[in-house]
């Protein structure tokens, strides 16, 4: 916003995730009230009228989803600047998101993201293909020259680093926000009870048999969606078996550990964010908190973007001590600095996504030390996920110095790695 304000006679387009449109409008009103910023939304005819009148505005803000639908309306519009927020939304070069933003006519392009590499360096290529088409060669040549050789030849990483470094401006909080309090991270290992361990063991054994059969029949590569479904259910069994098994009454070790953590934290005057990838799990946590008499706020993808800011403001200024948040819906764009404890109820393949969620609390405006707690079920797939995070993060560390993100996509796992998840 400061940059655009310094180039006030320019015309800019900002493309953002749906949940962040009104955050951007709010921030423009706060930091650059003299700039005319417009959120392109509403019906198709309304959006068409707005786009036809872009000359009346300094900045227009749209979403990746709407841009895909409206790209034809932008073909005769020229911008001085096009900025992508959460630019990992174009990490797949063949997605409609990527193809549409690359058709925008802009003199200068910026990509803003905390996670330029999530699953492979091909995602970095896609972002560079938006910023500077052709600079990192075409997709096929880049894949042959870098992606397929990264693990074999150290010199390949150094060569790629040399190419991208001049065009990446990286700012870490510890470098630019010296006043920000510390962040303390710890992993809390939870041991399953007998019933939960039995349910998990039976299911894991069944999954291993199925995968070994697929490997023998040479069907592994074509069965990844089915295997991912088994992995997802196994992860859910670690959290709360009742969301997988209808008649299960054996309890959840993680749920008990969470309630204990929340009770203690609330009694000490803390406010807590709880993240999970599974809305069904979050709803069960909410039901349990109601039984315990604990007030809480709740946010998942079903909450309209306009209402999210109100939810955030109410939590930050209100007395509710707990905010249950879907990792996908609330992992970016929210300012929740009234909380000083962040609990990750389940681990995600990519630690950078978890870090972004943690940064809802550990950001400018935070006055307290932030404690980050990862709940991990001992002797399960969750421990393997942590191990994979660590192993695959080393590659990104070597490419982008001290580790821009983790790379743990299921699609990139070998047969051996997938089997190890279950054993």
């Amino acid at each position: 916003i400061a940059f655009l304000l310094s180039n006030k006679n320019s015309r800019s387009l900002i493309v953002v995730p749906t949940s962040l449109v009104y955050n951007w409008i709010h921030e423009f009103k706060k930091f650059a009230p003299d700039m005319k910023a417009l959120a392109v939304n509403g019906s198709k005819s309304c959006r068409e009228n707005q786009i036809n009148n872009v000359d009346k505005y300094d900045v227009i803000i749209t979403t990746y989803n709407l841009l895909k639908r409206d790209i034809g309306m932008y073909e005769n519009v020229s911008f001085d600047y096009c900025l992508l927020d959460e630019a990992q939304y174009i990490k797949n070069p063949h997605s409609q998101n990527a193809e549409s933003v690359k058709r925008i006519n802009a003199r200068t392009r910026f990509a803003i993201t905390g996670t330029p590499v999530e699953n492979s360096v091909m995602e970095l290529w896609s972002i560079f293909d938006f910023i500077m088409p052709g600079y990192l060669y075409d997709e096929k040549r880049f894949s042959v020259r870098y992606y397929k050789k990264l693990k074999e030849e150290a010199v390949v990483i150094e060569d790629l680093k040399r190419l991208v470094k001049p065009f990446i401006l990286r700012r870490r909080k510890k470098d630019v926000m010296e006043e920000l309090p510390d962040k303390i991270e710890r992993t809390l290992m939870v041991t399953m009870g007998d019933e939960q361990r039995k349910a998990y063991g039976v299911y894991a054994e069944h999954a291993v048999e199925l995968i070994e059969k697929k490997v023998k029949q040479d069907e592994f590569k074509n069965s990844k969606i089915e295997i991912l479904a088994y992995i997802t259910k196994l992860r859910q069994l670690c959290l709360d078996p009742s969301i997988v098994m209808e008649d299960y009454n054996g309890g959840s070790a993680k749920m008990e550990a969470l309630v204990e953590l929340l009770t203690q934290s609330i009694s000490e005057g803390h406010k807590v964010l709880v993240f999970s990838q599974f809305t069904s799990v979050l709803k069960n946590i909410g039901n349990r908190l109601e039984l315990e008499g604990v007030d809480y706020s709740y946010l998942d993808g079903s909450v309209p973007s306009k209402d999210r800011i109100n939810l955030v403001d109410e939590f930050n200024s209100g007395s509710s001590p707990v905010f249950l948040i879907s990792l996908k819906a609330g992992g970016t764009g929210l300012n929740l600095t009234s909380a000083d404890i962040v609990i990750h109820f389940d681990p995600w393949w990519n630690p950078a996504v978890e870090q972004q969620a943690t940064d809802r609390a550990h950001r400018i405006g935070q006055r307290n030390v932030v404690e980050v707690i990862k709940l991990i079920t001992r002797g399960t797939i969750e421990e393997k996920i942590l191990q994979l995070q660590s192993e695959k993060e080393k590659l990104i560390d070597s490419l982008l110095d001290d580790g821009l993100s983790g790379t743990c996509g299921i699609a990139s796992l070998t047969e051996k790695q997938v089997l190890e998840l279950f054993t």
Side-chain angles (χ1 to χ4, degrees):
I1 291 176
F3 169 76
L4 295 180
L5 190 58
S6 71
N7 294 270
K8 196 175 177 184
N9 293 324
S10 60
R11 181 196 297 163
S12 303
L13 171 68
I14 304 177
V15 187
V16 307
T18 302
S19 60
L20 301 187
V21 172
Y22 293 99
N23 294 60
W24 273 92
I25 292 293
H26 180 267
E27 298 296 287
F28 268 104
K29 288 179 180 177
K30 181 178 179 181
F31 293 110
D34 294 335
M35 290 190 76
K36 295 178 181 177
L38 169 72
V40 175
N41 54 14
S43 65
K44 184 173 182 179
S45 59
C46 177
R47 300 197 306 272
E48 186 172 12
N49 182 58
Q50 290 173 321
I51 295 167
N52 288 337
N53 289 281
V54 292
D55 290 344
K56 297 179 181 179
Y57 299 92
D58 300 307
V59 178
I60 66 170
I61 302 166
T62 191
T63 71
Y64 290 98
N65 284 336
L66 288 178
L67 186 66
K68 287 185 290 191
R69 300 182 209 168
D70 300 342
I71 189 61
M73 303 181 195
Y74 287 93
E75 287 185 341
N76 296 320
V77 183
S78 296
F79 295 95
D80 294 292
Y81 303 107
C82 178
L83 300 92
L84 306 186
D85 190 18
E86 302 296 344
Q88 67 272 18
Y89 272 63
I90 67 162
K91 65 185 181 182
N92 178 357
H94 306 292
S95 66
Q96 287 184 307
N97 281 347
E99 290 174 354
S100 57
V101 299
K102 290 171 186 180
R103 287 172 60 185
I104 292 293
N105 182 14
R107 181 170 54 85
T108 305
R109 298 176 173 190
F110 291 91
I112 308 166
T113 174
T115 53
V117 182
E118 288 188 347
N119 297 309
S120 101
V121 292
M122 293 307 300
E123 297 167 355
L124 185 65
W125 177 86
S126 183
I127 293 175
F128 265 82
D129 190 48
F130 162 74
I131 302 169
M132 301 157 63
Y135 175 69
L136 291 183
Y137 313 104
D138 60 31
E139 182 181 8
K140 183 177 180 180
R141 188 175 176 191
F142 179 87
S143 177
V144 171
R145 185 164 182 161
Y146 296 107
Y147 173 59
K148 293 180 179 178
K149 295 181 180 178
L150 277 178
K151 292 183 179 180
E152 290 115 30
E153 302 176 32
V155 68
V156 171
I157 294 176
E158 291 303 315
D159 186 40
L160 182 54
K161 186 191 297 186
R162 176 183 58 80
L163 287 173
V164 302
K165 192 172 182 180
F167 304 101
I168 297 179
L169 179 64
R170 188 180 185 201
R171 288 291 177 261
R172 294 167 298 184
K173 284 183 293 187
K174 66 180 184 180
D175 298 326
V176 297
M177 291 186 279
E178 294 180 0
E179 75 284 0
L180 192 67
D182 288 338
K183 177 174 67 176
I184 299 172
E185 299 181 85
R186 65 186 175 106
T187 299
L188 183 61
M189 304 299 291
V190 176
T191 302
M192 293 185 286
D194 291 341
E195 288 297 313
Q196 187 177 7
R197 186 184 299 111
K198 182 179 177 182
Y200 181 92
V202 168
Y203 199 90
E205 189 175 331
H206 174 66
V208 167
E209 289 176 2
L210 177 114
I211 294 169
E212 287 178 338
K213 182 180 177 183
K214 297 286 185 187
V215 171
K216 285 179 183 177
Q217 296 174 350
D218 202 25
E219 296 177 2
F220 179 82
K221 289 183 179 178
N222 297 324
S223 304
K224 291 217 169 175
I225 292 177
E226 185 181 357
I227 292 168
L228 178 58
Y230 275 90
I231 290 173
T232 299
K233 284 190 177 180
L234 208 57
R235 293 175 60 223
Q236 290 172 328
L237 286 168
C238 297
L239 310 179
D240 183 358
S242 68
I243 66 172
V244 178
M245 305 164 63
E246 284 187 18
D247 300 323
Y248 178 81
N249 294 307
S252 161
K254 259 202 187 181
M255 188 73 76
E256 298 307 317
L258 176 66
V259 170
E260 186 178 314
L261 269 174
L262 291 177
T263 302
Q264 180 182 346
S265 300
I266 293 167
S267 69
E268 294 172 353
H270 298 287
K271 298 187 80 169
V272 188
L273 309 181
V274 179
F275 287 97
S276 173
Q277 286 112 61
F278 303 103
T279 55
S280 54
V281 171
L282 285 175
K283 287 170 182 173
N284 280 4
I285 294 172
N287 293 336
R288 178 62 186 274
L289 293 183
E290 288 174 12
L291 290 175
E292 299 287 336
V294 175
D295 190 22
Y296 67 92
S297 301
Y298 181 92
L299 171 64
D300 66 18
S302 66
V303 178
S305 55
K306 271 188 176 180
D307 297 337
R308 296 182 185 204
I309 294 176
N310 294 333
L311 268 176
V312 168
D313 290 342
E314 287 171 8
F315 178 78
N316 282 332
S317 60
S319 58
S320 176
V322 178
F323 205 148
L324 306 180
I325 307 174
S326 157
L327 188 71
K328 186 174 182 180
T332 58
L334 304 180
N335 188 339
L336 294 163
T337 50
S338 66
D340 56 1
I341 294 179
V342 178
I343 298 176
H344 292 284
F345 195 64
D346 36 278
W348 184 232
W349 306 98
N350 184 353
V353 175
E354 292 180 357
Q355 290 161 14
Q356 280 197 316
T358 296
D359 288 348
R360 300 315 97 215
H362 192 244
R363 61 195 296 115
I364 294 174
Q366 180 58 261
R367 298 177 181 177
N368 302 312
V369 172
V370 174
E371 184 176 13
V372 184
I373 303 169
K374 288 187 179 185
L375 286 175
I376 301 296
T377 309
R378 191 187 303 276
T380 70
I381 190 172
E382 294 189 334
E383 283 193 285
K384 303 295 176 70
I385 291 173
L386 288 188
Q387 183 182 340
L388 275 173
Q389 285 180 353
S390 175
E391 290 173 1
K392 294 207 168 189
E393 198 166 21
K394 290 175 183 176
L395 173 61
I396 307 304
D397 284 350
S398 61
L399 176 61
L400 294 161
D401 295 324
D402 44 2
L404 213 49
S405 75
T407 62
C408 296
I410 182 65
S412 65
L413 299 184
T414 64
E415 298 166 2
K416 182 181 177 184
Q417 287 174 317
V418 171
L419 278 170
E420 286 175 349
L421 292 175
F422 293 90
T423 54

